[in-house]
Amino acid sequence: MAFVDTIRSIGRAGMFSMSVFRATRPNRDFWHELTREIYKIGARSLPIIAVGGAFVGLSVTLLGYRVLLTYGATNQVSAAVGIGMYRELAPVLTALLFIGRAGSSIAAELGLMRATDQITALGLMGIDPVGKAVAPRFWAAVLTVPLLTAFFCCFAIAASWFQAVQVLGIDNGSFWQVMKDSVDVYDDFLPAFLKSAVFGGTAALVASYVGFHAEPTIEGTSVATTRAVVNASLLVLMFNFVLSAFLFR
């Protein structure tokens, strides 16, 4: 019975995702909501992305230096940081931070709209609630998560440079030259932003679906928020493996 319920839930989620694409109509109201959501879930997420990126860059540099010191190849630490950051760490960690900061907010907002009958009211007024409340949030996430990933990489690499050059004593020119030679635009840079867009869309769809179908109570909103964060985080980790297997060969 649990297996049947799981298949039914997956089917409902798939139909909900299709309804988001069908409800997307680029009119004036849509662009207004999209701009507002980009600010809410994108711009307001910059501080946590910046701080997270900086500390990840510091930690990865220190770890890479200690490992490479054994083989006398400490000047290659920027290659490890660059490839690891663009291919895996930046897209995944940005998505996870985005889920904790914005995904939970999306689920809570839609859950509260369900609890206060705002979603029902939109339907009674002849307004598609998916097009009004879900589609702008979805496209805002697809657009902003790659940009947040770019900021994450900038702060991580800047922090890595500080740790490697100013603290550990690696040559400045060697640091940048090794990173330039090891990181490729088509093999590393572009796939990172493709993964970020997929992760952003996944996070927004999961949070929107769970919040949109939450129980119309305060407890239901709380459960929906927790479920959105857990499910979206697991899906991001799963999709990261699948995309890495196909993109990086």
Side-chain angles (χ1 to χ4, degrees):
M1 193 65 181
F3 177 76
V4 176
D5 292 338
T6 301
I7 297 299
R8 188 180 292 114
S9 298
I10 294 174
R12 283 198 297 263
M15 295 297 293
F16 180 80
S17 301
M18 293 177 61
S19 69
V20 173
F21 289 100
R22 287 198 305 266
T24 302
R25 295 182 176 86
N27 50 34
R28 181 179 178 181
D29 184 59
F30 173 80
W31 292 116
H32 174 74
E33 292 292 331
L34 178 64
T35 304
R36 190 167 66 92
E37 292 300 328
I38 287 175
Y39 172 74
K40 284 175 56 180
I41 68 176
R44 289 184 176 178
S45 299
L46 277 176
I48 189 174
I49 296 296
V51 174
F55 279 104
V56 168
L58 292 171
S59 301
V60 172
T61 302
L62 190 60
L63 174 63
Y65 180 83
R66 290 177 175 174
V67 172
L68 294 172
L69 184 63
T70 307
Y71 305 98
T74 54
N75 62 327
Q76 298 295 315
V77 68
S78 60
V81 171
I83 294 176
M85 199 63 62
Y86 282 109
R87 290 194 174 194
E88 298 295 336
L89 292 177
V92 173
L93 294 179
T94 300
L96 294 178
L97 290 173
F98 177 83
I99 291 169
R101 164 62 181 81
S104 58
S105 175
I106 293 173
E109 289 175 358
L110 293 176
L112 186 60
M113 290 178 67
R114 173 66 70 183
T116 55
D117 291 327
Q118 295 181 51
I119 293 177
T120 305
L122 287 174
L124 292 175
M125 290 187 294
I127 301 174
D128 183 6
V130 175
K132 177 70 174 179
V134 178
R137 289 174 167 85
F138 168 75
W139 291 111
V142 172
L143 293 174
T144 56
V145 173
L147 297 177
L148 292 174
T149 301
F151 278 100
F152 187 98
C153 291
C154 290
F155 283 96
I157 291 175
S160 174
W161 169 84
F162 177 81
Q163 177 74 14
V165 176
Q166 302 298 326
V167 179
L168 299 177
I170 296 175
D171 180 69
N172 180 63
S174 175
F175 179 89
W176 292 115
Q177 187 62 45
V178 169
M179 181 173 289
K180 177 183 176 182
D181 294 338
S182 60
V183 177
D184 185 78
V185 173
Y186 296 102
D187 292 338
D188 303 313
F189 197 76
L190 294 181
F193 293 101
L194 174 61
K195 291 171 69 173
S196 299
V198 174
F199 296 161
T202 301
L205 282 176
V206 172
S208 299
Y209 172 77
V210 174
F212 195 85
H213 296 92
E215 292 292 329
T217 61
I218 299 300
E219 183 181 358
T221 302
S222 174
V223 171
T225 304
T226 303
R227 188 178 300 169
V229 172
V230 173
N231 292 349
S233 299
L234 292 176
L235 281 176
V236 163
L237 295 174
M238 182 184 72
F239 286 160
N240 177 64
F241 168 75
V242 175
L243 290 173
S244 297
F246 283 99
L247 293 174
F248 305 124
R249 294 185 177 182

